[in-house]
Amino acid sequence: MKPTPVQRFFASPWPFRLWAAAWVVITMAATIKETGMTFAMIQGTPMLLRCLLGLLSVGALGFISGCFAAAIVSIFLIPWRSHVNGGPFKVGDQVQIINGHHRGTVTRIYALWQGNTFRVELGLEAKAAFKDIFTQLQVMRVN
């Protein structure tokens, strides 16, 4: 079975990256709009530096608030996406890796790991280097 583009998207780090970037941009844009800041107001190096420092501070706050919001959304999103991928998974399940270096590899779960992750059979080298650890979103059930 071939993973869908949506499964590959959620298995990648891009959802969090886009979420965090959106929060940063939205908070910065809202700050510019609410303060009425224009390019004409920014004259001289000291004023430009103050505005940039203020926007960077607001962007950092936007990133932090985006992380909190992502934690809340992921409480509902991760179990749903895991179910779509064939979860919940257990030791002995045959799975296909959706993304990364081992993309497309069909393997078996041999151990549960920390924080809803598990280890899959990828050889002794991967096992020794802990490169065989995957989350529920990075694999799909094969049956």
Side-chain angles (χ1 to χ4, degrees):
M1 185 173 165
K2 185 176 178 184
T4 66
V6 174
Q7 285 174 308
R8 284 197 307 269
F9 175 72
F10 279 103
S12 74
W14 280 105
F16 179 75
R17 290 176 184 167
L18 293 173
W19 179 273
W23 277 79
V24 170
V25 169
I26 289 169
T27 54
M28 291 173 102
T31 300
I32 290 170
K33 181 182 180 292
E34 291 301 316
T35 60
M37 190 185 309
T38 63
F39 287 114
M41 295 171 64
I42 307 171
Q43 294 184 2
T45 305
M47 187 61 175
L48 176 64
L49 291 176
R50 282 188 206 129
C51 289
L52 287 176
L53 180 63
L55 284 176
L56 287 174
S57 300
V58 167
L61 289 174
F63 178 78
I64 291 168
S65 62
C67 289
F68 282 120
I72 293 168
V73 169
S74 68
I75 290 170
F76 303 102
L77 184 68
I78 290 174
W80 172 63
R81 291 306 311 168
S82 173
H83 179 72
V84 170
N85 289 354
F89 300 100
K90 62 185 181 307
V91 173
D93 286 348
Q94 194 167 11
V95 295
Q96 178 180 358
I97 299 171
I98 296 175
N99 76 334
H101 182 68
H102 300 286
R103 179 178 169 181
T105 303
V106 175
T107 185
R108 188 182 67 82
I109 296 174
Y110 73 85
L112 298 178
W113 199 243
Q114 304 166 357
N116 287 331
T117 60
F118 39 81
R119 299 185 79 171
V120 299
E121 295 174 348
L122 292 175
L124 294 175
E125 189 176 309
K127 183 178 183 177
F130 298 99
K131 302 248 182 204
D132 61 348
I133 301 170
F134 292 89
T135 68
Q136 305 169 49
L137 302 180
Q138 294 175 312
V139 298
M140 60 186 275
R141 185 181 305 276
V142 176
N143 284 341

